[in-house]
Amino acid sequence: MTLLEPALLLDGHASWLSQARLNGGQHWVRNAACDVCCSDAGNPPIPVTRLHTFSAQDSYVASARSAWLRYAQDEAQRKSRSLGTLAQVAGLPLSGLITAARLDEAAVINNWLISTNLHPQWQDSDLSLLTESVMARHCDSPLLLRNVSDAVNPGLAQRLAAQGWTLLPARQIYTCDPQDPAVWQSPNVKRDQKLLAQPDLQLGGPDTLTADELPALRRCFRALFIDKHSVLNPDFTDEFFALCLDKRFLELHALRLDGRIVGVIGLYQRYGWLTTPLLGYDTTLPPELGLYRRLMALLLREAQARGLRLHYSSGAGAFKQHRGGVPALEYSAVFSAHLPGRQRLALSTLAGILQRMAGPILSRHG
């Protein structure tokens, strides 16, 4: 597998941005009712999203409330009704602070409405220009930057803090260097790669997929991330899957069993990193097929072949650590210096609570 040409990568992002600006974020993500504009700073252009309506099912990729509060409450509810009720009550103080800080209305920078936005290596001058350009257009709302981690962008968190941004713990992520020979000595990695090579399932890359197969790819994704996990995950539309097939915004790969698509993964490559914001499989099939293991083995193999670092994203911490994943804390950064004092106070109070509680919890449990 060869690297995609930069022009093709940029073409996919340009197509995403042009349609999002015209039709809003829901064109690509059904549960992301946001306006999308473009920052005046930076080349290539940088999208800025902002919710225009609020719903209990807003995806966490568009909603700070869903990211910090609703997702955990939804997970608790799925475990038991009593635990869900407890999470609802416990979350009331955080909910009030999110409202007071007006984080529902935040302008989210470089937000492509996927789980892991990969950022360039911004320097001080870049961040200053970016902050000023977005603040000029969104002077009444906080600014928010997701996916800030020293493991991916060394020094970015410190530069943001020095310019007045507040860092709020968001999630535990896992990164991996597939060029490290030790990764490939792991018994789990060896077993997964052997499983991927088995002939019982056929692996198809983006050149082998057709438009007729897009509904099956979307069903596989929704079966895992929406039906099994949470309705607050991004619910990618038919148009999004077509964009990935035509323009390779994500590079789609599929697993077939007797000619039928039973698994999908979308590879996202930028700035020296590879990650997967889209993955799914037929959850009714026997676990012995190891569909998740095969898809993750493909991700690791492709990262090595392309000479890229691997961003494993969050979740399944033990699984990823057994496959070379190194844990790191990820933050969302919020800028509110231009807002009234009561909003800044609410944000600083929220940050204090999350830094005391969420940081240690995420570090222990992912």
Side-chain angles (χ1 to χ4, degrees):
M1 181 61 63
T2 58
L3 279 164
L4 293 176
E5 292 295 328
L8 184 55
L9 285 169
L10 293 175
D11 187 33
H13 285 77
S15 297
W16 186 100
L17 187 53
S18 65
Q19 289 299 314
R21 293 176 73 180
L22 284 173
N23 303 309
Q26 283 181 300
H27 185 76
W28 302 125
V29 177
R30 190 179 304 278
N31 52 349
C34 56
D35 296 318
V36 181
C37 66
C38 183
S39 166
D40 297 326
N43 187 29
I46 295 172
V48 179
T49 69
R50 185 174 177 178
L51 287 173
H52 57 73
T53 57
F54 309 114
S55 163
Q57 295 198 352
D58 289 331
S59 172
Y60 74 88
V61 300
S63 165
R65 186 180 297 274
S66 291
W68 275 302
L69 189 59
R70 289 194 187 115
Y71 202 99
Q73 292 172 335
D74 186 56
E75 285 186 324
Q77 183 66 40
R78 284 172 179 258
K79 291 178 181 177
S80 74
R81 182 176 299 178
S82 59
L83 192 59
T85 301
L86 180 62
Q88 291 286 340
V89 174
L92 288 175
L94 291 183
S95 179
L97 289 170
I98 289 171
T99 299
R102 295 182 61 189
L103 285 174
D104 291 311
E105 304 166 51
V108 190
I109 299 171
N110 199 34
N111 188 23
W112 298 92
L113 299 177
I114 54 179
S115 57
T116 301
N117 295 298
L118 296 171
H119 305 307
Q121 296 297 334
W122 284 311
Q123 300 304 310
D124 289 339
S125 58
D126 302 317
L127 292 173
S128 296
L129 180 60
L130 186 58
T131 302
E132 291 169 3
S133 68
V134 178
M135 187 169 55
R137 182 172 293 186
H138 299 279
C139 58
D140 60 338
S141 69
L143 314 185
L144 191 148
L145 181 67
R146 299 172 51 226
N147 309 120
V148 176
S149 173
D150 272 342
V152 182
N153 295 98
L156 177 58
Q158 290 82 357
R159 284 190 285 273
L160 287 165
Q163 294 192 19
W165 290 70
T166 301
L167 298 171
L168 286 73
R171 60 179 187 164
Q172 181 96 307
I173 62 168
Y174 301 87
T175 63
C176 173
D177 182 4
Q179 314 314 315
D180 182 355
V183 171
W184 299 91
Q185 296 306 311
S186 162
N188 292 286
V189 170
K190 289 180 178 180
R191 283 196 294 269
D192 291 352
Q193 293 298 322
K194 185 177 180 180
L195 179 63
L196 181 62
Q198 292 296 312
D200 56 333
L201 270 69
Q202 299 78 50
L203 181 63
D207 294 330
T208 71
L209 294 169
T210 67
D212 291 342
E213 294 175 306
L214 292 180
L217 297 176
R218 184 165 184 254
R219 282 195 297 272
C220 285
F221 169 76
R222 296 192 87 255
L224 180 64
F225 270 85
I226 304 298
D227 299 336
K228 183 176 181 179
H229 286 302
S230 176
V231 295
L232 300 177
N233 283 310
D235 188 5
F236 297 118
T237 62
D238 294 334
E239 290 80 5
F240 181 81
F241 279 86
L243 171 76
C244 293
L245 181 64
D246 296 339
K247 301 292 186 179
R248 301 198 187 176
F249 179 82
L250 302 182
E251 186 182 302
L252 297 176
H253 295 254
L255 291 174
R256 293 184 176 90
L257 177 64
D258 299 326
R260 178 173 67 91
I261 287 179
V262 296
V264 61
I265 189 170
L267 307 184
Y268 187 60
Q269 175 186 320
R270 295 201 93 181
Y271 309 121
W273 288 86
L274 188 70
T275 191
T276 176
L278 186 157
L279 185 147
Y281 53 84
D282 185 340
T283 56
T284 67
L285 291 175
E288 292 75 21
L289 279 174
L291 298 177
Y292 180 74
R293 287 173 54 205
R294 296 187 200 223
L295 293 168
M296 295 301 284
L298 170 66
L299 176 66
L300 180 61
R301 189 188 75 183
E302 288 298 312
Q304 185 201 40
R306 302 171 191 218
L308 301 171
R309 298 288 302 278
L310 177 56
H311 194 310
Y312 268 133
S313 196
S314 62
F319 178 95
K320 292 170 182 176
Q321 289 186 77
H322 289 148
R323 291 155 179 82
V326 178
L329 194 57
E330 183 184 87
Y331 298 86
S332 287
V334 182
F335 187 81
S336 62
H338 58 300
L339 299 177
R342 63 184 181 278
Q343 288 178 240
R344 299 198 305 272
L345 177 60
L347 177 63
S348 64
T349 304
L350 176 65
I353 294 173
L354 291 176
Q355 287 161 4
R356 287 194 304 273
M357 298 178 59
I361 291 172
L362 290 172
S363 296
R364 286 197 303 270
H365 303 291

